[in-house]
Structures are given as C-alpha cells and as structure tokens.
Amino acid sequence: MGSLAHWIKPILRIAALLSLLAGAPFWGFAAAKADVGRLRTDPIYFRLIVDLEFKKTPVSIDVVVACEQHRTMSRAYGGTDETLGMSAYVYAVRLPGDHAIKVRTIGAPGAPNPCAGDTSANGRVPKDWLPLVVWYDRADDLSHGLGYADQDAYANPIAKISFRGARVETATARDFERFMQSGQKNLVPSYLSGIFWGKDHPVLTEGKAVPVEYLARPERAWIFASHPVCRGVRRVRLSKAQRERIRAIWPKERPDRWQPPAEGEYSLLRWILQDTPQRDQPETYDPDRRSLDLTSDDTVFPVVSNESLQGLERDPSRAEAYAHEALVDEAASLRGFVFCDSDAPTELVQALLKRPPERFGSEGRRKCRLGKMEVRVRISGCSDASWIVFERDEYAFFFYPQTGA
C-alpha cells in the first residue's frame, strides 16, 4: 500500500529481533553468533489519549508507551533473557460495572505509527484516526472481546461505548517512569501486552495435568495463551474500473459469490487493495456519519475461529475442529466489529480431546466459510491475507488485518 515504506524499517527490525530471539540467523546477523551482541537504540516514548464515553460518562484511556526500551541483545543466540520490545502494545483498563476496554497503542499497517515518531502535533496522526478499541464484558476474563474496528461499530445498536477522539503526544523517559509508578493499571499481563514476550510467560501444564477448572471453564486459560488475535473480514464496493476487470473473469454461470483462479489471486487482491481509496487510511472516523443508518458498502464483519478459547468455552467438544475451520459472521448486528480472541493452548485442547490435536500446516487444512461458501485459503483460514471473494461483480471480501490486539 502507499505507506509501505513507512513500515519497512520497523518490520525489518522486528524480523531481525524475532530471529535472534528464536535462535535463528537473520541476514547479516548470522556472523555474530560468537560475539556479544548489543544493539543500542534510542527509545521512543509517546503518550496516547483515547477519549470515549460509557453510559453517558466520559472515559479517557491515557497511557505512556515506550518503544524499544529494552536494549540488551542476546549472546550466541540467547545467552541473555532481556529483549527489545514495546511497553505496551495493548493496554486495558477497568470500567464501572467490572467491564474492561483495551486499546492498541499503534495503528495497523498503513495507519499511524507513534513508534516511528508519528504524533498529532506533526500531523502524521490525523484528527480522524480511529484506533482499535476492544470491549470486554468482564474485567477478569480477557479471553474474548469485541473489537470496534470500524466506524459502523460505534453506530451499531449493540455498541456499549462511544468514540470522541484520539491523539498522540511526545513523551520522555521520565514521563514513562512516572506513568509506570502511578498511571492506570494495565489489566493485560506484561508478557501479553508487549510486542515480545519471553521467559516470564507462564506455561499451562509445566509437565503436569491440566487443572480441572480449565477443563470446565476453558476461557479461564487466556492468561496462558499467546497474544490475542482480532479476526475480521472487510467488504467493499468495487469501482467502475474494478468491476470491468472482474466481470471479465466472472464464471459464465454467474454465481453470486465466487473466487478467481488460484493463479494470480494474490496479485488481484493487491490491486483491489491499492485501488480502493478506503484502504489508504484503514482507521478513520467521520463524526458526520454517526447519525446515518448502517448502509455503508465498506464495512467489517467478525470471524469466529474454532481455535479460540471462545469456541471451547461455548462447546468444549469443538476442540475436535481445533485450527481447521473459521466462519465469517455476517449478522447485521455485528457490522463494524471484529472478534478478539485468545487462542486455546495446545495442552488444553489435548486434555479435552485426550489425545494430541491434529496440526495444520499444509494447504487446505484450515478452512474459511463465508455464508454457505467454503473459501479457498492457503494455511491460516479466514485470517489468511492471500484470499479474496467476489459478490457478483459488485463487491469484494478479504481478510481485514486487525491482528495482534
């Protein structure tokens, strides 16, 4: 997309660090195995303020965030336990009534990135930025949340909160230290709230049997899961030029929903994304749209995943379908939302099945369903960023990248 260059440096840095943390070489770092590796960086600090309203009462999430505040790299692929990371990538606070809301402190790719110096003052965080906010019914259960990914969510009758604006300001190391001592408490554990998590991440079993309480209430195991994943699908109306190109490959049977040939599918998807104005700024808010009915052609629908704790909570027998199928929920009452779920730890699924779960990994093993249609995907079900579905020659559906929240 147009702002890809804006993300190249952070992406390369993260890839290098992940490789080192995992004990794998990354390009030029491979030769440094025998050396003491130290990467000195200048930490960036910023302050994020998200103004909301809950039950007609103003609510402000005000956090100070540090990017790359841990600066010691590993010796010989892992000699130390300190990592480079971000504190915090997500931040959750308690609301009256024992509810909770969580914000992602940086935007999705193509949206503002305060870790790269984007602020409201320098104009790189637009006034209409809509950061991802996730609602949790219970502050002590962050296994499943409803993410407000699109403006339609706030206009939806089921919305619990209203959006009033967001801004990013510069901050200092002293601001960060002060916030850590006296700021709002993050309900998300440190090992789940940063970009990286390390040795302090708890293991579900540690070689022991899974406690009975997690077999009866799988959702309680969210603290043992990895970072929560927000899954959604975006629907957009095709432009006149797009429709002309798509009509040329529309099967002669003229199905209502269909996929293009596998060969060239990804290139077609990239063309649709690049040529769709709404995707240039994937997180924006227009206050003048708040009073309109939910008729927007460009909207988001959530994805229900069988590998999530949400699925196991509803029906533990669904562990049988672990990591094999996901479903796009097109209910009008869920327009604008994404489901933000903690995925079930393998040990818990194994305990429920009384055998190891089947593992995906080959093409076609994980399935995605859009209504009655089974969607062809590579590996990652509905969360695979390489699929596209057309509705006649008018609309396109594709994975909406709201992951890692």
Side-chain angles (χ1 to χ4, degrees), residues 51-60 160-164:
D51 293 319
L52 306 165
E53 187 177 288
F54 173 59
K55 292 185 175 181
K56 299 183 179 180
T57 301
V59 174
S60 180
K160 302 289 182 66
I161 53 178
S162 300
F163 180 75
R164 294 292 178 261

Side-chain angles (χ1 to χ4, degrees), residues 3 11 25-26 34 73 78 98 117 139 159 161 167 173 209 231 243 248-249 255 273 306 339 343 361 364 368 401 404:
S3 56
I11 289 173
F26 177 78
M73 294 292 286
D98 210 28
I161 53 178
R167 63 188 187 276
R231 298 178 173 93
R243 293 186 67 181
I249 61 173
L273 290 173
N306 270 353
F339 289 145
D343 289 346
C368 174

